[in-house]
Amino acid sequence: MTTAFDLNDDSLVVIVGSGAGGGTLSQELAEKGIRCVVLEAGKRFERSDIENDEWKMFSKITWLDKRITAGPTALTQTSPNLPTWLVKGVGGATIHWAGVSLRFQEHEFKMHSLNGDIAGANVLDWPISYADLAPYYEKAEAKLGVTGTKASGLPYHEPSSHFKVIAEGSKRVGAHCRPAPLAINTQARDGRPACQVTGFCMQGCRFGAKWSTMESSIPKAEATGNIEVRPDSMVLRIEHDKTGKVTGVLYVDKAGNQHFQKARLVAVAANSIESPRLLLNSASDMFPEGMANSSGQVGKNYMTHTGTGIYGEMPDTVNMHKSPVVPGLVSTWADNDPSRGHVAGYELEILHIGLPFMSAFLKPGGWGRELANSLANYENMAGFWICGEDLAVESNSITLHPTEKDQYGLPIPVVYKGNHANDTAMIKHSNQQATAILEAAGATKVNVMDRYPASHNMGTNRMSERPQDGVVNKWGQSHDIQNLFISDGSQFTSSGAENPTLTIVALAIRQAEYIADQMQKQMI
Amino acid sequence: MNKNKTADTRATAGANLGRRRFLARSTAAAVGVGALGGTLLSPAAWAAKAVGDHASATLLRMARDIYPHDRLEDKYYAQVMTPLAEKAETDADLKALLKEGVAALDAQAQQHFGKPYLDIAAETDRVTLLKAQQDTPFFQKIRGDLMMGIYNNPELWPRFGYGGSSWEQGGYRYRGYEKNDWIEGV
């Protein structure tokens, strides 16, 4: 069944992006009988497009439109045009995510109340509490089929060799390693099969065992007949009327033809670079600094998580590739304990990357015998990616390049990210703890990797109680424009120590209820 | 490939099964070792017309110095260098990059050690010269191609203990994802 809506139909919800935020929102609205057009910049992939090959899938699905990496970190040199590792395609980054599904902790919604003003940072409480979101976390866990939760009833994955090594190392230093709650079926559920442990979660799941909007939400939304997905459709700008209400979006299709799709409301869910970029590109006489930007916070407070990797070379074979990519977590330091020398916390996430990526990321640009010897030890490696909360800093931002344009004629985004002193202190602490665990498990050498291109991108259209502090209210609705919503991780007020997807999904489920209610009441 | 797998670390790991695995792997690896013999390089086997024997041999030596895996045969490095040198026959820019890069390397070698790069016996001396070149487009081109050619070469993955594509075999669900016979406490 293919639904097709008219460009002049101004009763539609237009959703920009089809990942965790947009894909979920489309399903939730569709199931309430609300008709939506989903505009996705990337193409549509089939299950058969998914290969167990890191570089092939990187070339196939990654958002490779030019961006500029800026800021005083090594990434600016090692990855000058790829600040992030995201997906361009129907399903967005849910094709690529490792499935780690964590709720934010209660205190992470009120980091300003908890820690007070922090010099050089722009920390703010969320306008919602954990209690507000808890029922939606429950629904999100059921929707995604998160292992180890009551909501799904699915057991955790059985411990892999990689998990066992880290679990034992953790025990020896007095820390605790637990199985990761994953949106990857351990039993057939919801039309998707059980995990076969290919070890390639981040290249897309060849079996469809991992939840993604590509596999789940989008097909379900389309089955209602209320959703039309238009792939290869890059939104150029959002238009508004004389009162400031949005009227629709201008987009360009695969053939290069421009179309204007009218809308009753627009929900932007294009991830934390493209979403603020679209608002900035939608500047007009009425909104000279960009749409929804009376606060000046659009594109600001860009957060990525601390994001270092750390790999130990063990005395014997680990075969970390024979495992769900993230089999377990050490959450011992996920709390807010300033006595460590930093506020906020981090998760040590056991994470496998394959030899091809390991050779690129272990020491970016590196060569020589020491690196070669470590890579020769690949099968003995065990280690982590570290998901540490980085603080909102106003200068960490997405801005438009003054002259350079992309293939659509849009100014390319400049992605600036530096580390706050708190981030630096946390990175040091977390690297030390991870090293201790790996050494306790027998590592003869531990390799610390600098942050590589971020898959977690948050904060650039943040939620705030007061309109002057952020871009959207507690429903993800623009403070300035009633019928404009943000539905992705860019609405995060803080980054938490958790992978963002489950929270994005929970917020989208909650937002869909609000949108339906407001439409019903003719408020929007 | 694994340098840590000495009899000593095996003894501390205390696993007979592990020792048997190590022996089996060493035997498999030994099949490929013969041709290398430390410095024995054979430019004729892969030399391309565009850059000539000397530059070809220098590039191969340089390739081995960039990602030195003594147990890997020359052919794996040559597989990366050959297409480059062949392409240089029709690509004037690439030809210039390679020839001038080798010439610059040799000039540095002459200046510091009084002989061409290829004739410098000590790896540490050659690495010193490469370090001075590492930001040049020439070096970056060779390094980038090698990184992909060595570590993204499915033929070599088993030698590194990396499995590559697994879905065709049903993943590792019934093929040993849980297997670990050395970590205690599990």
Side-chain angles (χ1 to χ4, degrees), chain A residues 18-328:
Chain A
S18 63
T24 302
L25 186 66
S26 74
Q27 184 195 354
E28 293 290 317
L29 292 176
E31 288 173 355
K32 297 177 201 306
I34 296 170
R35 298 173 312 141
C36 314
V37 171
V38 178
L39 299 173
E40 166 55 53
K43 61 183 280 198
R44 189 148 198 160
F45 295 102
E46 302 301 328
R47 180 86 61 83
S48 56
D49 291 320
I50 304 297
E51 298 177 80
N52 287 175
D53 187 303
E54 290 183 315
W55 284 117
K56 277 187 191 161
M57 288 310 292
F58 179 84
S59 322
K60 200 182 276 191
I61 67 175
T62 304
W63 186 291
L64 294 170
D65 296 1
K66 189 171 178 186
R67 291 166 169 168
I68 292 178
T69 313
T73 70
L75 198 68
T76 299
Q77 267 72 49
T78 56
S79 193
N81 297 119
L82 193 82
T84 61
W85 182 12
L86 293 170
V87 173
K88 189 172 187 178
V90 175
T94 64
I95 300 176
H96 156 74
W97 77 314
V100 181
S101 301
L102 293 166
R103 299 183 182 198
F104 268 43
Q105 303 165 78
E106 200 167 344
H107 71 266
E108 289 170 332
F109 290 89
K110 45 186 185 188
M111 292 301 278
H112 186 260
S113 300
L114 187 62
N115 298 304
D117 285 334
I118 296 172
N122 194 21
V123 180
L124 186 71
D125 288 356
W126 290 61
I128 54 172
S129 68
Y130 178 81
D132 291 327
L133 209 50
Y136 299 95
Y137 273 135
E138 185 91 8
K139 289 179 188 196
E141 286 164 352
K143 178 192 282 285
L144 273 54
V146 179
T147 56
T149 61
K150 253 192 297 183
S152 77
L154 289 175
Y156 288 117
H157 287 73
E158 292 293 322
S160 62
S161 168
H162 197 191
F163 179 91
K164 290 174 182 178
V165 171
I166 300 295
E168 177 60 18
S170 300
K171 199 170 83 183
R172 290 177 189 172
V173 301
H176 176 65
C177 180
R178 58 171 172 146
L182 299 175
I184 301 175
N185 280 350
T186 41
Q187 297 162 359
R189 181 183 181 276
D190 196 27
R192 292 181 290 112
C195 176
Q196 302 297 302
V197 198
T198 66
F200 285 90
C201 308
M202 290 165 76
Q203 282 63 46
C205 183
R206 175 72 192 200
F207 292 102
K210 181 183 80 176
W211 177 88
S212 67
T213 56
M214 168 187 153
E215 289 284 352
S216 183
S217 304
I218 295 285
K220 284 182 179 185
E222 288 176 319
T224 65
N226 291 326
I227 297 291
E228 180 190 352
V229 178
R230 295 183 197 151
D232 300 300
S233 299
M234 178 72 180
V235 178
L236 305 174
R237 53 185 290 122
I238 303 168
E239 300 282 0
H240 62 83
D241 64 17
K242 277 182 282 189
T243 69
K245 273 179 60 180
V246 303
T247 52
V249 302
L250 184 69
Y251 71 95
V252 58
D253 68 16
K254 195 178 185 178
N257 298 315
Q258 292 192 5
H259 309 278
F260 184 74
Q261 174 64 58
K262 289 188 178 175
R264 178 170 174 180
L265 75 86
V266 173
V268 181
N271 211 302
S272 290
I273 296 176
E274 293 305 313
S275 288
R277 182 187 184 214
L278 176 57
L279 297 182
L280 296 172
N281 276 328
S282 302
S284 64
D285 287 346
M286 186 182 256
F287 304 120
E289 302 305 318
M291 192 168 267
N293 197 20
S294 67
S295 63
Q297 294 291 304
V298 169
K300 305 289 172 63
N301 312 307
Y302 173 58
M303 300 174 285
T304 63
H305 287 139
T306 52
T308 50
I310 187 156
Y311 286 87
E313 296 167 36
M314 297 297 156
D316 207 326
T317 307
V318 178
N319 280 332
M320 64 174 171
H321 62 283
K322 300 181 183 180
S323 177
V325 164
V326 181

Side-chain angles (χ1 to χ4, degrees), chain A residues 52 55 158-161 164-165 168 171-172 194-198 200 206-207 314-319 321-322 354-356 359-360 365-369 371-373 375-380 441 444, chain B residues 1-5 10 21 25 65-70 123 127 130-131 134 139 143 147-148 151-152 157 160-167 170-173 176-180 182-186:
Chain A
N52 287 175
W55 284 117
E158 292 293 322
S160 62
S161 168
K164 290 174 182 178
V165 171
E168 177 60 18
K171 199 170 83 183
R172 290 177 189 172
C195 176
Q196 302 297 302
V197 198
T198 66
F200 285 90
R206 175 72 192 200
F207 292 102
M314 297 297 156
D316 207 326
T317 307
V318 178
N319 280 332
H321 62 283
K322 300 181 183 180
L355 179 68
S359 72
W367 57 278
R369 192 163 284 275
L371 176 62
N373 284 350
L375 292 168
N377 257 337
Y378 175 79
E379 67 183 344
N380 287 13
T444 51
Chain B
M1 298 296 293
N2 201 318
K3 293 190 174 334
N4 282 356
K5 291 191 190 271
R10 280 293 158 183
R21 275 207 315 256
R25 197 172 345 212
D65 289 338
I66 290 176
Y67 292 121
H69 293 287
D70 296 342
E123 181 178 318
V127 165
L130 289 179
K131 273 195 178 141
Q134 67 181 353
F139 183 91
R143 190 200 69 82
M147 187 185 85
M148 295 300 279
Y151 304 113
N152 197 39
W157 285 343
F160 286 88
Y162 177 57
S165 186
S166 72
W167 71 268
Y172 295 105
R173 191 181 186 193
Y177 73 91
E178 78 289 6
K179 198 175 155 206
N180 186 306
W182 62 271
I183 192 78
E184 291 164 28
V186 293

